[in-house]
Amino acid sequence: DKTKIIRQTSTPLIKKGEVKCLLSVSVDITKDTLLTEELVLKNSQLDTLLEYLPLIVYMKDKDKNFIIGSKYAKDFYEKGVDRYADDLKINMDKSLQLADEEDNLVFEKKEKLRKEKTSIDKDGNIHWYRIIKAPIIKNNNSIEGLITIARNIDSCKALENQKDLF
């Protein structure tokens, strides 16, 4: 399809209160329009992926502010509520300091961090999480932010313990 999208701007040229001619400028915006449509589609696809991804996934900017995340990521990030683990409530007082130290390490080293760690819930019970944090690096090698992926692995740890006991 060779259809072009043209944006045209016109203005009258006035001399002594009388319109003498019309000046028009036309620009081919076909490529810009197609790129905009593609960007809107990709954004919609990303939103759908995040909506149905059964993991806690979120991005933070370089100032460690929440940008975007999967369906329940903001509850986890702000309140310590893990909707994927039966609304488990993590004690955020202890978890926030460790998470901040992990973020600083990722920012400093510009490398992915992968680990299993424990968190304590509001009742004092220990829960296991697999955490992956990775920097978002721009073309000029500067850090734009980071992505965090977290998953409760209590059931995996319980299975490991049963195997060890057996």
Side-chain angles (χ1 to χ4, degrees):
D1 189 4
K2 298 289 182 181
T3 303
K4 292 197 178 263
I5 301 169
I6 306 295
R7 180 178 61 221
Q8 186 172 13
T9 304
S10 300
T11 187
L13 291 179
I14 301 172
K15 189 174 184 180
K16 295 183 182 177
E18 192 177 311
V19 176
K20 295 295 181 181
C21 65
L22 192 61
L23 176 64
S24 295
V25 176
S26 300
V27 178
D28 181 353
I29 60 166
T30 307
K31 188 174 181 179
D32 293 348
T33 302
L34 293 175
L35 285 173
T36 299
E37 289 173 359
E38 185 177 343
L39 182 61
V40 167
L41 174 63
K42 295 291 183 193
N43 192 48
S44 174
Q45 291 169 336
L46 177 61
D47 286 346
T48 302
L49 177 67
L50 288 173
E51 178 73 18
Y52 294 103
L53 192 65
L55 295 169
I56 297 165
V57 178
Y58 56 89
M59 289 183 204
K60 292 194 256 184
D61 64 20
K62 59 187 171 193
D63 297 321
K64 301 179 187 174
N65 298 309
F66 185 93
I67 299 172
I68 189 172
S70 56
K71 186 173 184 177
Y72 300 121
K74 199 158 191 174
D75 280 346
F76 185 78
Y77 175 78
E78 291 178 347
K79 303 172 194 165
V81 177
D82 187 347
R83 303 266 182 230
Y84 297 112
D86 299 323
D87 292 338
L88 175 69
K89 282 198 79 140
I90 299 298
N91 183 337
M92 295 299 282
D93 296 335
K94 295 181 181 184
S95 295
L96 286 177
Q97 182 180 353
L98 182 57
D100 193 52
E101 290 170 6
E102 294 166 352
D103 292 352
N104 290 338
L105 190 62
V106 171
F107 284 135
E108 180 184 313
K109 291 191 172 191
K110 294 184 181 180
E111 294 177 359
K112 176 175 74 174
L113 172 72
R114 181 185 174 109
K115 66 188 272 187
E116 291 181 357
K117 68 178 190 176
T118 58
S119 291
I120 299 171
D121 68 17
K122 295 288 185 179
D123 298 326
N125 300 313
I126 295 174
H127 298 276
W128 281 91
Y129 279 86
R130 181 170 293 128
I131 304 289
I132 300 171
K133 294 187 177 196
I136 301 168
I137 301 175
K138 293 169 49 173
N139 289 342
N140 65 2
N141 204 31
S142 66
I143 299 277
E144 186 64 24
L146 65 83
I147 184 168
T148 299
I149 303 169
R151 183 177 193 160
N152 180 288
I153 57 169
D154 285 347
S155 59
C156 295
K157 289 295 183 179
L159 187 59
E160 282 179 23
N161 287 341
Q162 285 179 348
K163 285 180 185 178
D164 289 344
L165 288 175
F166 182 68

